[in-house]
Amino acid sequence: MTAASATSPALSSERRFALGIGLTNECNLSCSFCYRDPTRVDRLSLDQVRAVLDRLPVRSVNLGTGENGMHPDFKPMLDLLRAEPIKLTITSNGHSIAVIADEDVRGFADVEFSIDYPTDEEQDAQRGPGNWDLVMEQAARCRRLGVGVTFIAVMMRTNYDRLAGIARIAKQFGAPLRVNVYQAVRSDAFALTYDEYWTGFEALFAQTDVIAIGEPLVRAMAGLPARQGGCGVATVRVTPRATVQPCVYWPGSGQGLDLLLHAGEAIVETAPFAAARRLPNPCRGCAFEAPCHGGCAGRRHLLNRLDQPDPYCPVVRGDMRRLAIRMAATRDLPKLESACTTIVIARD
């Protein structure tokens, strides 16, 4: 991000926000690495979703957090969102797509399917029997309907060196792979060590081409320039509890939805959003200050070190980890600038 956007993003009526909405935190699965709270059921109302869209100039909406198809008003909410001048996406384990009609599937610009292992046995062992087949069936259905497909994986201790295998499976559907680094929201059981983090990305880039890199440290070590968006600048997360956060992993209960409805796009001037884009003092003057900007703010905040460099930073260790990447052809994907994520596609 630029120096100006790092301190105070300019406000305008331009549709610049990537909005993440969790309609519900319900899910038909119980993955041990999930960040949602399984101890309670929370749901947004149709009126609340409508009010957010009326107050925020949104360019894209992703439905995430829980399995959104379990919301009892999922169909009318899809009708509402499809009528907006936005790119609509959803992240699903397959269930939310399986329960809707073809017409509603066509309302999505892209459907993200969660796959964390390159074999059906491992996937089903982690997520539940039949999940692999469900994802493959629904991904094929989306492609038949002309809907874009992305596979999404969480890079964690149990799969960090095998993600290229998932990218090859995604390529069978003409799909890229989006990778998010595991964040210790509820447990650090799957958290990567420093070496696993960097080995994982090195292994991934050795067999895939890069569409986009939003993970700040990785972007910097790959030699890419500063981003224009990202957390605290043009991303807003609305949770099923009707709270607002700058990042889906941001700790704490969040700010009340009423604040967003009052502030509109000025929500980025509130304290959590300002904190998400604040540069840690030890990072000032670093050669990678612009593209990295201290690394992932959500991860730093989760570890109670928001004012310190990202724990995966190689510079503070004197361990330069330059990454060799090969860029892929540009794709028009809604999440190119929206989060600390990395998008690749398997090589032919």
Side-chain angles (χ1 to χ4, degrees), residues 11-199:
L11 304 182
S12 72
S13 59
E14 177 189 359
R15 288 187 171 273
R16 66 189 183 90
F17 282 93
L19 175 65
I21 300 181
L23 300 179
T24 179
N25 64 345
E26 298 165 274
C27 189
N28 58 314
L29 304 180
S30 299
C31 302
S32 53
F33 53 82
C34 185
Y35 63 82
R36 71 183 183 89
D37 185 352
T39 65
R40 52 184 286 167
V41 172
D42 296 289
R43 296 169 179 163
L44 292 175
S45 71
L46 188 63
D47 287 344
Q48 287 172 322
V49 175
R50 172 75 272 170
V52 171
L53 295 174
D54 286 344
R55 291 294 292 131
L56 202 63
V58 173
R59 61 175 172 80
S60 66
V61 172
N62 181 73
L63 302 178
T65 302
E67 195 61 24
N68 287 269
M70 298 184 71
H71 195 295
D73 290 330
F74 188 47
K75 168 60 175 172
M77 286 183 168
L78 285 183
D79 291 342
L80 169 66
L81 291 164
R82 288 172 58 193
E84 292 290 309
I86 59 172
K87 289 185 177 179
L88 179 62
T89 63
I90 187 172
T91 303
S92 173
N93 62 38
H95 174 82
S96 294
I97 303 304
V99 299
I100 59 176
D102 289 355
E103 176 187 2
D104 293 316
V105 175
R106 291 192 184 98
F108 291 103
D110 193 77
V111 175
E112 296 187 337
F113 292 102
S114 298
I115 288 285
D116 296 301
Y117 297 94
T119 69
D120 54 352
E121 294 88 357
E122 292 170 294
Q123 178 75 7
D124 286 2
Q126 180 71 265
R127 291 184 174 261
N131 181 248
W132 176 277
D133 288 343
L134 177 64
V135 167
M136 298 303 151
E137 291 166 2
Q138 294 306 314
R141 178 187 175 207
C142 287
R143 297 306 297 135
R144 287 196 304 272
L145 295 173
V147 176
V149 169
T150 296
F151 279 35
I152 177 171
V154 178
M155 181 188 284
M156 48 193 167
R157 183 170 295 173
T158 55
N159 70 355
Y160 69 94
D161 56 349
R162 305 176 65 210
L163 297 177
I166 304 175
R168 287 191 291 273
I169 293 166
K171 188 68 175 291
Q172 297 173 14
F173 298 89
L177 172 67
R178 188 164 74 85
V179 176
N180 286 345
V181 175
Y182 175 81
Q183 305 284 34
V185 176
R186 305 188 62 79
S187 166
D188 64 357
F190 294 89
L192 298 163
T193 65
Y194 173 82
D195 286 332
E196 287 169 346
Y197 176 95
W198 289 107
T199 299

Side-chain angles (χ1 to χ4, degrees), residues 264-325:
E265 60 184 310
I267 190 70
V268 296
E269 303 298 347
T270 62
F273 286 80
R277 59 179 183 269
R278 187 180 304 130
L279 178 69
N281 284 333
C283 299
R284 296 186 183 279
C286 174
F288 302 99
E289 177 181 330
C292 175
H293 206 75
C296 176
R299 179 160 54 237
R300 299 191 334 255
H301 197 11
L302 279 169
L303 297 174
N304 295 314
R305 46 181 296 161
L306 188 56
D307 295 327
Q308 297 298 315
D310 191 304
Y312 295 124
C313 175
V315 177
V316 296
R317 298 170 181 248
D319 176 29
M320 195 59 62
R321 302 295 291 249
R322 295 287 192 177
L323 294 170
I325 63 171

Side-chain angles (χ1 to χ4, degrees), residues 216-235:
L217 280 170
V218 176
R219 186 176 183 87
M221 292 301 109
L224 298 179
R227 302 171 66 202
Q228 298 304 309
C231 296
V233 178
T235 62

